[in-house]
Amino acid sequence: MLKRLNKYISETGYCSRREADSLIEQGHVTINGAVPELGTKVGPDDIVSVKGKPITPSKADKTDRVYLAYNKPVGITCTTEKKVKGNIIDAIGFKQRIFPIGRLDKPSEGLILLTSDGDIVNKILRAENAHDKHYRVIVNKPVTSEFIHNMSNGVPILNTITKKCLVKQAGKFGFDIVLTQGLNRQIRRMCEYFGYEVTRLTRKRIMHIDLKGLKVGQYRHLTEQEMLQMNAALKHSSSEIQ
């Protein structure tokens, strides 16, 4: 059975499909020693190499794939680039090749998922799939009911209007917000629009997975129950990049 090259690479756990496309475009991928084009398909007997090293297909039942929950500290950068000081891969020190699902800003802390399953990355990240993320935010001045109302009803940032979302006050200077979007520095930009500055931002939950039992800097494998729930939630999600 033939597979698209980017899907084949992502399924090995080397990287996500988007990153695989970038590697192919840059000429870092070969099939049987030849440099392919984007969209090329791979057969079971083909030898695929990335940067000169052959990569091994993952097992069809996914038993060799890794799914981690990590409580990211402030100051850690969500990149697999080892040349970046304080990168998330060095911070975790996991022996198998993994990569983060999405990002969490360097000044932010809290839950981020990491995996060796490139297919699941796009399923979770695609905005159409609307998988929610819960944040606790502390700002530099008292939160008002007007601010809560405005934040929840769409804010003009980055040449668009953010989707309506659930926002609840949490103390004098804090609020909880649940997003299904992932715009660049979205919460910070939303706050800045109303004259507020974020002093602390913690992601508490992604879908049904939370920080329970994880101290800052710790990681754990997702439980069997969490994986069952995730697979059910992603059943109708597309992993195709648009």
Side-chain angles (χ1 to χ4, degrees), residues 2-232:
L2 296 178
K3 287 184 180 178
R4 286 177 64 93
L5 179 56
N6 62 353
K7 179 177 174 65
Y8 178 93
I9 294 171
S10 74
E11 287 183 349
T12 69
Y14 190 91
C15 62
S16 68
R17 284 202 201 182
R18 192 179 300 278
E19 291 170 314
D21 282 336
S22 178
L23 289 168
I24 296 165
E25 288 176 338
Q26 293 169 28
H28 292 313
V29 179
T30 60
I31 302 175
N32 304 322
V35 177
E37 297 178 352
L38 279 174
T40 298
K41 293 190 175 180
V42 183
D45 297 324
D46 289 321
I47 299 174
V48 177
S49 298
V50 179
K51 298 182 179 179
K53 296 182 179 180
I55 56 177
T56 306
S58 288
K59 295 179 181 179
D61 61 5
K62 297 189 177 185
T63 55
D64 58 344
R65 301 183 197 184
V66 174
Y67 306 90
L68 303 180
Y70 174 54
N71 192 345
K72 185 190 90 68
V74 170
I76 298 299
T77 302
C78 293
T79 179
T80 57
E81 292 290 335
K82 301 297 283 289
K83 63 185 178 185
V84 176
K85 186 177 180 180
N87 69 79
I88 194 169
I89 303 304
D90 285 345
I92 292 179
F94 196 74
K95 60 183 179 181
Q96 189 172 333
R97 187 183 183 94
I98 54 174
F99 41 89
I101 301 176
R103 296 178 57 83
L104 191 57
D105 291 342
K106 186 176 179 179
S108 303
E109 62 186 325
L111 181 63
I112 185 162
L113 305 179
L114 297 99
T115 185
S116 61
D117 182 356
D119 245 13
I120 210 168
V121 173
N122 295 315
K123 287 184 178 182
I124 292 177
L125 292 185
R126 279 174 58 84
E128 295 92 325
N129 295 332
H131 304 305
D132 60 350
K133 297 173 286 292
H134 174 193
Y135 300 83
R136 168 65 55 85
V137 187
I138 307 299
V139 289
N140 65 331
K141 56 185 182 181
V143 171
T144 64
S145 57
E146 181 184 15
F147 172 77
I148 295 293
H149 174 79
N150 290 338
M151 285 285 285
S152 64
N153 280 283
V155 182
I157 61 170
L158 298 173
N159 300 312
T160 188
I161 304 292
T162 60
K163 290 182 179 180
K164 290 186 177 183
C165 59
L166 178 65
V167 185
K168 291 185 177 181
Q169 187 159 353
K172 185 176 181 180
F173 293 90
F175 64 92
D176 287 338
I177 182 169
V178 178
L179 298 180
T180 56
Q181 283 179 296
L183 301 177
N184 180 255
R185 298 181 68 251
Q186 180 171 344
I187 296 173
R188 295 179 189 274
R189 292 179 191 275
M190 290 169 72
C191 290
E192 287 167 4
Y193 183 83
F194 297 114
Y196 284 75
E197 180 184 341
V198 172
T199 59
R200 185 174 185 181
L201 193 156
T202 305
R203 184 155 63 196
K204 311 284 283 186
R205 178 178 59 80
I206 299 172
M207 300 166 61
H208 58 283
I209 302 162
D210 60 31
L211 286 172
K212 187 180 294 183
L214 278 181
K215 295 179 180 178
V216 175
Q218 290 185 334
Y219 72 83
R220 64 172 176 82
H221 292 267
L222 297 191
T223 66
E224 182 178 354
Q225 183 60 38
E226 285 172 331
M227 288 306 305
L228 285 172
Q229 285 183 251
M230 178 180 286
N231 289 330

